[in-house]
């Protein structure tokens, strides 16, 4: 069964782009446009990996991450931070990687493959 | 796993905590246990005299004394022996670490269990001695199997192993320790914490590190942990990676306490290349003395491969 990636980003262009990109590489995807709705999607879809934006209008990425790791079932889901903020790598230090927009898609794919296969 | 265990003991109160772990493990894992005591020789070379561990007096060694000591050992562990029948009691005279190592080799044991030191803290002194005993040091250095050291009361371990902390600095010598920790975790269905403490103790000697530098190094360590150990745990996913910064032994003891660890696994040493020469590493030595769970020191891969 294909691995599923949850894309959390408030920029619809990024979401579409990542959905197409991951889809082309054999992954299933689902998405949320804000931290506040991402938790519900995680519960419903049970993704294998999450790409997470930091700055979003309602609930920021780190706050969502804090909620995520409180749930025993989900706390081990690997997270890749994809953000335009400077110093974003320090925001969620337990993320498997932090990537700054604009990003190199091959590099992103290499990380995803490395983490979930 | 743990088919044969050698419990090296003085049968005095300093080994009581180790005894509880030894008998508990032997019962739980159905191991063949040998409670093994060596009469220390007070003089160099071979001698007719030995030092009685309880009284400290020099006594003449003969068969009567040997039988008496074995009887005393049986009396000391009478309750444990009732529960665990698959235990033999042995006593021999000689240099303790030599005889312990010899017995371990001869019996081909999978694990040696020991206390950390037999010396009581000197009363009235304000300096904590903070060193392990010389027998322990010699045994951990040369043993072909892991040595499980019990330095303090370890109530957390009752009920068997379920939560293991593997402390690593990514050195080559930590590889055997990793393999041991992983095999124990896999065999007994434990959670395995892969833990690294990023050493910032240089700050005390005046080297002030920027926080960026510390955090970058910690993230790098996390990545290293993922690349170095995770691919070797095929199909095993009950593991967690944690990196803390500080003085390594303090952080390992803190981490083990916070996570209710019942076993810490570390390499015997990490700095020196040769297993023959290296002394018990200073970090593992402090962890042995301070942790409230057993600490396994691993120096050689020999026995771990077969576990």
């Amino acid at each position: 069964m294909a691995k599923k990636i949850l894309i959390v980003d408030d920029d619809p262009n990024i979401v579409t782009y990542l959905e197409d990109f991951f889809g082309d590489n054999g992954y299933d995807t689902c998405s949320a446009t804000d931290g506040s709705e991402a938790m519900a999607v995680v519960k419903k879809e049970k993704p294998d990996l999450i790409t997470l934006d930091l700055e979003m209008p309602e609930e920021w990425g780190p706050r969502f991450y804090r909620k995520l790791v409180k749930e025993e079932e989900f706390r081990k889901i690997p997270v890749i931070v994809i953000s335009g903020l400077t110093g974003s790598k320090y925001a969620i230090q337990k993320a498997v990687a932090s990537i700054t927009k604009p990003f190199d898609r091959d590099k992103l794919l290499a990380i995803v493959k490395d983490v979930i296969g | 796993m743990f088919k044969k265990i050698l419990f090296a003991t003085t049968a005095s109160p300093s080994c009581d905590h180790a005894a509880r772990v030894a008998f508990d493990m032997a019962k739980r894992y159905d191991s063949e246990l040998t409670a093994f005591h060596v009469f220390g020789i007070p003089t160099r070379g071979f001698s007719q005299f030995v030092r009685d561990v309880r009284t400290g007096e020099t006594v003449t060694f003969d068969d009567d004394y040997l039988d008496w000591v074995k009887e005393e050992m049986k009396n000391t562990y009478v309750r444990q022996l009732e529960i665990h029948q698959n235990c033999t009691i042995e006593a021999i005279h000689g240099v303790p670490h030599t005889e312990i190592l010899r017995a371990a080799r001869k019996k081909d044991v999978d694990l040696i269990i020991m206390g950390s030191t037999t010396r009581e803290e000197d009363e009235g002194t304000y300096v904590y001695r903070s060193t392990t005993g010389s027998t322990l040091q010699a045994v951990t250095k040369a043993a072909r199997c892991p040595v499980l050291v019990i330095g303090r009361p370890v109530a957390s371990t009752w009920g068997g192993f379920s939560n293991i902390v593997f402390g690593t600095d990514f050195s080559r010598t930590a590889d055997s320790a990793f393999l041991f920790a992983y095999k124990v975790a896999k065999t007994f269905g434990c959670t395995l914490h892969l833990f690294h403490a990023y050493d910032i103790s240089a700050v005390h000697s005046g080297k002030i590190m920027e926080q960026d530098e510390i955090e970058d190094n910690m993230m790098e360590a996390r990545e290293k942990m993922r690349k170095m150990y995770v691919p070797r745990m095929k199909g095993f996913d009950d593991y967690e990676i944690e990196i803390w910064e500080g003085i390594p032994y303090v952080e390992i003891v803190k981490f083990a306490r916070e996570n209710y660890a019942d076993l810490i696994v570390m390499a015997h040493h990490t700095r020196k290349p040769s297993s023959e020469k290296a002394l018990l590493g200073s970090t593992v030595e402090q962890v042995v003395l301070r942790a409230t769970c057993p600490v396994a020191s691993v120096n050689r891969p020999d026995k771990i491969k077969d576990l």
Side-chain angles (χ1 to χ4, degrees):
Chain A
M1 208 176 84
K3 294 277 170 75
K4 193 183 279 178
I5 300 174
L6 165 62
I7 301 151
V8 187
D9 204 304
D10 61 326
D11 182 343
N13 294 327
I14 296 268
V15 174
T16 320
Y17 174 74
L18 285 177
E19 276 177 340
D20 290 346
F21 178 58
F22 288 138
D24 290 345
N25 284 284
Y27 295 103
D28 285 343
T29 55
C30 50
S31 65
T33 54
D34 197 274
S36 55
E37 64 176 66
M39 203 60 216
V41 183
V42 168
K43 283 182 179 158
K44 189 166 158 252
E45 302 279 350
K46 299 187 175 27
D48 300 293
L49 183 139
I50 299 171
T51 71
L52 182 64
D53 188 14
L54 291 179
E55 188 179 13
M56 289 175 288
E58 290 289 322
E59 186 174 282
W60 281 45
R63 186 170 289 197
F64 158 71
Y65 182 78
R66 208 158 66 224
K67 277 190 203 160
L68 182 81
V69 293
K70 274 189 186 160
E71 301 272 341
E72 184 61 32
E73 191 185 348
F74 307 125
R75 69 192 180 91
K76 286 189 187 170
I77 301 176
V79 169
I80 299 176
V81 173
I82 303 180
S83 167
L85 292 180
T86 49
S88 61
K89 65 176 176 174
Y90 300 115
I92 300 174
Q93 297 193 11
K94 291 187 181 180
V96 290
S98 289
I99 296 174
T100 310
K101 292 176 194 167
F103 57 86
D104 176 351
R105 62 182 193 173
D106 295 330
K107 202 175 135 200
L108 174 64
L109 186 64
I111 296 167
V112 171
K113 273 192 178 151
D114 189 31
V115 175
I116 56 171
Chain B
M1 187 167 255
F2 304 139
K3 284 189 201 86
K4 290 181 189 172
I5 298 175
L6 184 77
F7 166 43
T9 176
T10 54
S12 63
S14 59
C15 288
D16 278 1
H17 302 306
R20 288 200 187 100
V21 174
F23 283 99
D24 185 71
M25 271 185 73
K27 183 168 169 266
R28 190 169 304 282
Y29 303 129
D30 201 20
S31 322
E32 198 183 311
L33 180 72
T34 309
F36 189 75
H37 173 58
V38 185
F39 307 110
I41 299 175
T43 56
R44 282 173 162 275
F46 291 95
S47 154
Q48 287 302 309
F49 302 104
V50 293
R51 191 174 53 238
D52 188 281
V53 285
R54 292 203 180 149
T55 61
E57 286 169 3
T58 302
V59 292
T60 314
F61 177 80
D62 55 22
D63 286 348
D64 283 350
Y65 180 69
L66 181 70
D67 290 343
W68 180 78
V69 170
K70 280 189 186 167
E71 201 51 42
E72 277 301 296
M73 285 173 76
K74 278 186 194 150
N75 291 340
T76 307
Y77 298 129
V78 63
R79 276 180 47 218
Q80 286 91 337
L81 288 169
E82 270 171 25
I83 299 164
H84 188 73
Q85 316 239 325
N86 193 10
C87 171
T88 43
I89 289 196
E90 287 184 23
I92 195 168
H93 75 298
V95 179
H97 72 261
T98 313
E99 297 306 325
I100 292 168
L101 290 165
R102 198 199 307 276
R105 201 171 48 237
K106 226 166 88 185
K107 293 173 190 297
D108 193 27
V109 299
D110 307 309
L111 188 73
I112 298 173
I113 299 182
M114 292 177 75
S116 61
T117 175
T118 48
R119 276 178 65 173
E120 301 291 321
E121 280 299 309
D122 300 326
E123 271 184 40
T125 54
Y126 57 89
V127 181
Y128 175 55
R129 192 186 296 114
S130 80
T131 50
T132 50
S134 57
T135 304
L136 175 79
Q137 299 214 6
V139 171
T140 49
K141 181 166 115 178
R144 302 208 162 270
C145 61
V147 181
L148 192 69
V149 193
I150 290 91
R152 294 183 60 209
V154 289
S156 60
T157 309
W158 306 151
F161 299 132
S162 62
N163 210 6
I164 300 173
V165 173
F166 162 60
T168 179
D169 66 349
F170 308 112
S171 59
R172 204 161 51 85
T173 48
D175 272 7
S176 302
F178 165 75
L179 203 58
F180 178 65
Y182 167 56
K183 284 192 170 180
V184 176
K186 202 175 169 191
T187 309
F188 301 123
C190 311
T191 302
L192 178 60
H193 299 270
L194 306 170
F195 181 76
H196 172 72
Y198 178 64
D199 191 351
I200 59 164
S201 54
V203 77
H204 299 300
S205 55
K207 184 182 184 294
I208 307 297
M209 279 185 265
E210 273 184 44
Q211 195 59 24
D212 275 4
E213 184 188 348
I214 294 173
E215 291 182 9
D216 286 348
N217 278 307
M218 286 169 69
M219 281 187 270
E220 202 180 295
R222 189 176 293 281
E223 182 66 13
K224 219 169 177 176
M225 199 76 102
R226 222 164 48 75
K227 290 231 159 83
M228 204 161 175
Y229 300 116
V230 173
R232 293 159 68 182
M233 299 188 286
K234 288 199 171 66
F236 179 83
D237 61 358
D238 194 3
Y239 68 88
E240 311 210 353
I241 294 173
E242 199 67 56
I243 316 289
W244 287 8
E245 75 273 49
I247 304 169
Y249 79 81
V250 177
E251 300 307 319
I252 293 169
V253 171
K254 264 159 67 181
F255 180 80
R257 188 178 58 215
E258 291 303 304
N259 288 282
Y260 307 101
D262 34 38
L263 174 66
I264 298 173
V265 180
M266 291 174 75
H268 165 264
H269 66 273
T270 55
R271 292 284 164 82
K272 299 221 178 75
S274 157
S275 301
E276 305 295 332
K277 288 185 183 156
L279 300 171
L280 187 65
S282 56
T283 299
V284 67
E285 179 170 35
Q286 290 306 313
V287 173
V288 157
L289 292 164
R290 293 165 195 275
T292 43
C293 66
V295 181
S297 152
V298 184
N299 198 18
R300 287 154 204 269
D302 309 43
K303 286 299 293 175
I304 296 162
K305 278 183 275 178
D306 318 329
L307 285 177

